[in-house]
Amino acid sequence: MPRAGLIECDINLTKDKKLVCRHLRCDLHTTTDVLLIPHLAKKCSVPFKPYIPGRFASAKCCTTDFTLKEIQNEMCGRMYSWNRRAKTPIQTMHTQTYRTDLYSHDCPRIQSHDDFMQVVNANGGSYVPEFKMLDYDFTKRHDGYTRQMYMDQIISAYNTTDPMRVYPQGFIWEDLYYVVEHTPFGSNAFALDKNYADTSNMNKAQLMKYLQPLVDHGVPAVAPTMFMLLTVDSSGNIVPSLYAKVANELGLDIIAWTFERSESLSKGGGWYYSSLSEVLRTDSDMIKVLDVLYEDVGIKAVFTDWPSVVTFYANCKGIALR
């Protein structure tokens, strides 16, 4: 069976300041049936507006619009989908052909952070909590609840957990500096990085300066998207990027994201493979990409939405999965 020993929870807040696992704070209109529940739909930050000529359908429903009880007891989770030409809420639930509704029929329950911890613990896994970004006016609307309070609330949830099973992550690097300084699991922290627009134009000295603060603050690993770590040389070979070489030179561990979240590689692979599209031909090239990431870049781990290919590769290479 494919397995992933480290499981991620992107931690967002509810209206009553509970912790809930949601990749995006304001995606409930695209990942649940909230728009089909009238008394909840009217609580959305931006209620549903139907498509009319010249204006696409729109809505914005956030975890901070609802209590945890409303999210868990009244909404059903579903595969992400959104029909921009929907004239009614039910028409917004149009799933693309490359996605599936196979797991939506029994009203999946939205997972709280507590649920996440219980499931991971029951299966002997490790935790990857991600500190998410709060909107700028959250404090004003929630009685002075600050980012510091948010951080401490998450950290306290792991007080009795084996620190070697906690791998905190976030895009705001200052959060990780705080975790390193104040928690026993800071030695497992890793800094997410999607600053591809700027780093792609940096020379070695600039990249050294950019990544050095992680080293200075004791953050042991950096986690950029896959295409930031790979490039194509003059002979058409997939090779480590300058970013990857600098991270290795600084002694940072590297974690890549996200495998198995793209369109067909025969079509270029989309955003996650954007630096390699000129040499990708078939879906089997995924194995080639993963091999370069492991053998040449030296990644310590890779994010995957469904770890079948990663498990296959690990078994072939004799790599022990955690």
Side-chain angles (χ1 to χ4, degrees):
M1 286 290 290
R3 71 181 297 272
L6 280 68
I7 310 299
E8 178 188 38
C9 171
D10 294 353
I11 306 175
N12 271 292
L13 283 167
T14 63
K15 185 177 182 178
D16 51 344
K17 305 181 186 66
K18 303 297 184 181
L19 303 178
V20 64
C21 294
R22 303 299 301 166
H23 179 64
L24 297 174
R25 185 174 57 84
C26 295
D27 72 347
L28 294 178
H29 55 292
T30 60
T31 58
T32 75
D33 61 350
V34 63
L35 294 180
L36 306 185
I37 308 171
H39 71 281
L40 295 183
K42 67 182 182 181
K43 296 183 179 182
C44 290
S45 294
V46 178
F48 173 72
K49 294 181 181 179
Y51 165 81
I52 59 174
R55 187 192 73 190
F56 288 124
S58 63
K60 182 180 179 182
C61 304
C62 307
T63 59
T64 44
D65 295 332
F66 308 97
T67 65
L68 180 62
K69 183 177 181 180
E70 289 172 328
I71 291 172
Q72 289 202 302
N73 293 359
E74 300 188 58
M75 298 180 197
C76 297
R78 63 182 176 90
M79 177 65 75
Y80 172 90
S81 63
W82 183 258
N83 176 10
R84 298 189 302 169
R85 297 182 179 274
K87 296 181 179 180
T88 64
I90 191 66
Q91 290 178 353
T92 66
M93 299 171 66
H94 171 72
T95 305
Q96 292 88 341
T97 56
Y98 58 88
R99 300 184 186 273
T100 179
D101 288 318
L102 179 63
Y103 308 105
S104 303
H105 299 306
D106 57 352
C107 189
R109 183 171 180 258
I110 307 302
Q111 195 173 55
S112 71
H113 182 247
D114 286 343
D115 295 333
F116 159 76
M117 293 191 68
Q118 291 174 20
V119 170
V120 172
N121 188 56
N123 288 277
S126 294
Y127 312 93
V128 182
E130 180 181 335
F131 303 106
K132 301 297 285 189
M133 291 173 265
L134 306 180
D135 57 320
Y136 72 97
D137 64 343
F138 183 85
T139 298
K140 297 178 183 177
R141 294 186 289 106
H142 290 81
D143 305 320
Y145 184 94
T146 64
R147 184 162 193 84
Q148 185 69 60
M149 295 167 68
Y150 164 76
M151 292 285 296
D152 289 339
Q153 184 175 348
I154 295 172
I155 289 170
S156 66
Y158 294 95
N159 279 343
T160 60
T161 303
D162 176 1
M164 297 312 296
R165 293 175 60 199
V166 185
Y167 294 79
Q169 61 166 334
F171 284 103
I172 301 176
W173 292 4
E174 288 78 7
D175 289 350
L176 303 174
Y177 304 160
Y178 179 82
V179 171
V180 168
E181 184 177 354
H182 292 93
T183 76
F185 45 81
S187 59
N188 292 333
F190 55 95
L192 296 169
D193 190 2
K194 60 179 178 181
N195 192 20
Y196 54 88
D198 290 334
T199 56
S200 63
N201 296 315
M202 291 182 184
N203 59 33
K204 181 177 179 179
Q206 291 169 325
L207 283 168
M208 294 282 284
K209 182 178 179 180
Y210 173 73
L211 293 172
Q212 186 64 44
L214 296 178
V215 178
D216 294 342
H217 286 88
V219 178
V222 66
T225 188
M226 292 191 300
F227 70 77
M228 293 173 66
L229 296 170
L230 300 171
T231 189
V232 178
D233 67 14
S234 58
S235 299
N237 300 309
I238 300 173
V239 296
S241 67
L242 179 60
Y243 182 108
K245 294 176 182 177
V246 170
N248 276 314
E249 187 171 332
L250 288 171
L252 291 167
D253 288 338
I254 300 174
I255 300 168
W257 50 275
T258 298
F259 210 67
E260 297 174 305
R261 187 189 289 184
S262 68
E263 60 182 294
S264 172
L265 268 64
S266 64
K267 299 178 181 178
W271 189 78
Y272 287 94
Y273 294 86
S274 55
S275 66
L276 311 174
S277 57
E278 64 184 276
V279 298
L280 299 177
R281 297 292 180 264
T282 69
D283 286 341
S284 62
D285 285 337
M286 293 176 74
I287 297 292
K288 183 189 300 183
V289 171
L290 186 57
D291 191 55
V292 175
L293 285 170
Y294 180 72
E295 292 288 357
D296 300 331
V297 174
I299 62 169
K300 298 299 181 182
V302 61
F303 279 92
T304 173
D305 285 348
W306 174 244
S308 54
V309 176
V310 174
T311 302
F312 171 79
Y313 176 82
N315 288 337
C316 290
K317 300 287 287 190
I319 303 167
L321 292 173
R322 291 185 294 173

